[in-house]
Amino acid sequence: MTVTLRPAGPADLDAITEVMLACWRESYATVLPERAIATMTPELVERLWTRALTGTAPGAAIVAVSEAGAVLGVTRYELGPDHGGIVQSLYVSPRAQRLGIGARLLSAAVAGLRDLDAPRFHLWVFADNAPSIAFYQRQGWVLDGTSRVQAGFDVEELRLEYAGSDPDPGRSSALRRTASDIVASGPDAPAGVSIGLRTAGGEFTAVTGNRSLGDTAEPMTLSTHHDLASITKILATTTALIALVSAAHVHLDDPVARYLPGFTGDGKETVTIRQLLTHRGGLWEWQPLYLNGRTGETAIRYVEQLPLRYRPDTARHYSDLGFILLGRVIAAITGVRLDEAVKHLVTKPLGLDATGYRTATSPAIADIAVSAPGDVTEQRMVATGVPYPVLESDARFGGWRSRPIAGEVNDGNAFHAFGGVSGHAGLFSTLGDLLDYAWALAHYRDHDSLWNPRVVETFLTDGPDAEQALGFRRYRFTADGKTTTMYGHPGFVGCVVGFSPDAGVALALCSNRLARTDNPVPNDELWSLARTAANTQLTGLDPKARR
């Protein structure tokens, strides 16, 4: 679905009234008492919006409309008596929620208030509306401790201030500087960047730049959906295996062939689940499985039948193919497709509502980042055999994408061979969900209903390779002079996530580093900058607030 924003006018009155009433009657039904909902009559809504659309106070109303012209959402903002900015209204039709429309409208309201030179911004939300409070917090708004009860509604409301206008210059300042510096660093910089840091003392976020390019470039927001690429290896595959090992449905030293009988010959019978998780199974790093028309089962059979490239457990060789097989192991154990297994074992229990695989039948999302201008990277890899030799000299493939990629997985094997669902790539998510995931792992002992904490500790234990645990990469993380281990993973498109149980910290960076260059900034460099910014941010916090 293509959604555009435009100024609202008197002709939109009926449609805006319909959207607002639907929100009150449907979305608010579980958070407000019936008597409060009953006060919002069609006549009252029309009077409120007639004044808003014809008034002369500094401010504006903006609507989000579909390709067919239907109003899907609306926001209204204005200057208050003290010249501070107020977001007076933000409504998205219940039938158009979870498409990123609310985040786009809110970003437009903030931009409009900045144009009015408002020194700070605030808004009000009903105290019992926990989903809305969480949404605003993900967009960089913070509760400031102020509440009110308006006559006629008799329901408590809480005030949120926008952190980007926070008079405390230290709040999120290190993250904002880093995000801005990355985007402004040159023609090969990502088009947009968001960074999030969560500690017991609060959540700090920053976002800048664009999620898309060209004349219709759209700003990146904290709710922009991103292609996670290889972060799928930990968020989906590794975490699902943590749950399955915890339930004794699989053991780390089980041979892979126990679950995938086709994975035999050439010594493959000895390769274990543990060795695939540590990239020590001896498999090829990568092959273009989609060549010569292979998809689905034929692509899996090709992986299973490939000779090993290395002797197992002699060295770490990072392998997409190993995690493709681990995804199939999960499907074999659970008896359902990998995407359903991940939903059941990971995303639903952790409340990651914005995280999931995207297939040809997935609904469109408005706020989603462009990952790349097409299949140019893999096309070059197949043509040159760099960095990995391509085993088929008679390779044929006519499905290269030459258009900007948004809303479908960038990875060629995940898209062309597996329809968007694989153990090595395919997940999409938001900065907020990445922080939720990392926060849960940073506090894994608090989630013993989801996994056995001792199993998590096994997955995080040092292995033979300093940079690699079971599934998770290992990084040095320094905060206030103390160095700990941060576990996480990068994704080729430009996102990275990490967590530190010792520091009680969750950190995530999202970018579209491939969107406008053939020479992108390396993920390791982006992640190093994010960890340094987090260190700077944490140094200014009360040490008691970090855990």
Side-chain angles (χ1 to χ4, degrees):
M1 179 189 297
T2 300
V3 178
T4 57
L5 306 187
R6 62 167 173 78
D12 297 309
L13 178 60
D14 289 345
I16 291 173
T17 299
E18 182 179 344
V19 168
M20 181 170 169
L21 285 173
C23 290
W24 273 75
R25 293 169 178 173
E26 298 177 38
S27 302
Y28 288 1
T30 59
V31 298
L32 292 182
E34 289 184 12
R35 56 178 171 76
I37 294 175
T39 62
M40 192 56 69
T41 64
E43 294 76 19
L44 177 57
V45 174
E46 285 192 16
R47 286 200 302 272
L48 291 172
W49 281 100
T50 297
R51 287 200 301 268
L53 297 173
T54 59
T56 58
I62 299 171
V63 289
V65 297
S66 69
E67 294 169 290
V71 172
L72 304 176
V74 62
T75 188
R76 180 170 68 90
Y77 62 89
E78 65 183 30
L79 290 180
D82 62 350
H83 299 289
I86 308 171
V87 179
Q88 293 282 20
S89 303
L90 178 61
Y91 295 104
V92 176
S93 168
R95 284 158 293 286
Q97 292 177 3
R98 299 190 182 280
L99 298 177
I101 294 171
R104 291 180 63 192
L105 286 168
L106 188 59
S107 294
V110 167
L113 289 169
R114 283 185 171 141
D115 288 342
L116 294 172
D117 294 324
R120 57 194 177 278
F121 324 138
H122 73 264
L123 55 81
W124 294 90
V125 64
F126 291 115
D128 290 335
N129 196 348
S132 287
I133 293 172
F135 163 77
Y136 288 119
Q137 288 176 326
R138 289 196 297 271
Q139 311 310 309
W141 297 71
V142 294
L143 293 165
D144 69 0
T146 306
S147 63
R148 73 180 184 185
V149 176
Q150 292 193 87
F153 295 116
D154 298 326
V155 177
E156 183 183 17
E157 296 175 83
L158 304 178
R159 191 170 72 179
L160 291 92
E161 288 267 351
Y162 184 54
S165 60
D166 197 318
D168 174 7
R171 185 174 185 88
S172 298
S173 59
L175 303 189
R176 288 199 298 272
R177 284 197 305 272
T178 298
S180 297
D181 289 348
I182 289 172
V183 170
S185 62
D188 293 329
V193 171
S194 62
I195 308 175
L197 169 68
R198 186 178 297 172
T199 74
E203 184 170 308
F204 307 88
T205 56
V207 61
T208 189
N210 295 322
R211 61 176 174 82
S212 59
L213 304 178
D215 296 336
T216 59
E218 294 276 2
M220 188 172 288
T221 73
L222 295 176
S223 289
T224 295
H225 286 68
H226 297 267
D227 181 343
L228 297 189
S230 284
I231 293 176
T232 302
K233 290 182 172 72
I234 62 165
L235 203 163
T237 306
T238 300
T239 310
L241 285 169
I242 288 174
L244 292 171
V245 171
S246 296
H249 293 312
V250 63
H251 302 282
L252 289 170
D253 293 315
D254 286 346
V256 175
R258 177 173 299 176
Y259 306 98
L260 303 178
F263 187 65
T264 57
D266 191 41
K268 286 179 281 191
E269 296 88 347
T270 67
V271 176
T272 65
I273 303 295
R274 185 190 302 271
Q275 289 168 349
L276 292 190
L277 282 165
T278 55
H279 298 280
R280 295 175 68 88
L283 279 72
W284 280 83
E285 295 88 342
W286 173 85
Q287 285 295 309
L289 307 179
Y290 44 82
L291 296 184
N292 297 317
R294 284 187 297 266
T295 60
E297 293 303 319
T298 58
I300 286 295
R301 284 198 296 273
Y302 182 78
V303 177
E304 291 177 337
Q305 294 166 9
L306 272 179
L308 296 178
R309 188 178 190 190
Y310 311 96
R311 190 157 59 90
D313 211 26
T314 55
R316 178 184 181 274
H317 298 282
Y318 181 80
S319 174
D320 275 5
L321 303 191
F323 270 77
I324 289 171
L325 292 181
L326 286 173
R328 300 295 288 202
V329 167
I330 293 168
I333 293 169
T334 59
V336 297
R337 275 174 45 117
L338 177 62
D339 50 349
E340 288 300 317
V342 169
K343 183 187 297 183
H344 175 72
L345 295 170
V346 182
T347 58
K348 188 174 181 180
L350 290 176
L352 307 180
D353 295 336
T355 302
Y357 288 97
R358 291 190 58 76
T359 67
T361 60
S362 297
I365 296 174
D367 191 358
I368 197 162
V370 170
S371 63
D375 281 326
V376 289
T377 299
E378 289 206 22
Q379 201 166 355
R380 182 170 59 247
M381 291 170 66
V382 170
T384 64
V386 177
Y388 310 114
V390 175
L391 297 177
E392 296 174 286
S393 59
D394 60 342
R396 299 184 304 278
F397 185 69
W400 298 118
R401 292 170 289 182
S402 58
R403 50 179 167 75
I405 299 173
E408 57 191 36
V409 62
N410 176 278
D411 182 271
N413 281 329
F415 181 75
H416 297 299
F418 300 118
V421 179
S422 183
H424 76 296
L427 278 188
F428 285 74
S429 190
T430 62
L431 184 76
D433 264 21
L434 287 178
L435 288 176
D436 287 345
Y437 169 74
W439 186 252
L441 267 297
H443 299 83
Y444 64 87
R445 297 178 189 89
D446 298 337
H447 298 279
D448 55 5
S449 63
L450 304 181
W451 47 56
N452 182 335
R454 285 179 293 181
V455 170
V456 178
E457 289 162 4
T458 297
F459 272 73
L460 301 182
T461 300
D462 295 355
D465 304 293
E467 73 274 27
Q468 184 72 57
L470 293 183
F472 301 100
R473 297 275 187 91
R474 302 174 76 248
Y475 307 93
R476 288 169 58 87
F477 178 67
T478 302
D480 203 16
K482 298 177 181 179
T483 299
T484 63
T485 299
M486 176 168 277
Y487 304 88
H489 211 283
F492 184 69
V493 169
C495 298
V496 196
V497 66
F499 59 92
S500 172
D502 290 339
V505 163
L507 179 65
L509 175 144
C510 295
S511 80
N512 49 0
R513 73 183 188 103
L514 308 178
R516 63 181 185 183
T517 179
D518 282 338
N519 185 34
V521 178
N523 266 330
D524 285 347
E525 181 177 330
L526 295 175
W527 190 227
S528 177
L529 292 170
R531 299 201 310 277
T532 299
N535 176 23
T536 303
Q537 194 73 47
L538 287 168
T539 301
L541 291 179
D542 180 344
K544 295 179 181 179
R546 294 176 197 157
R547 296 301 302 273

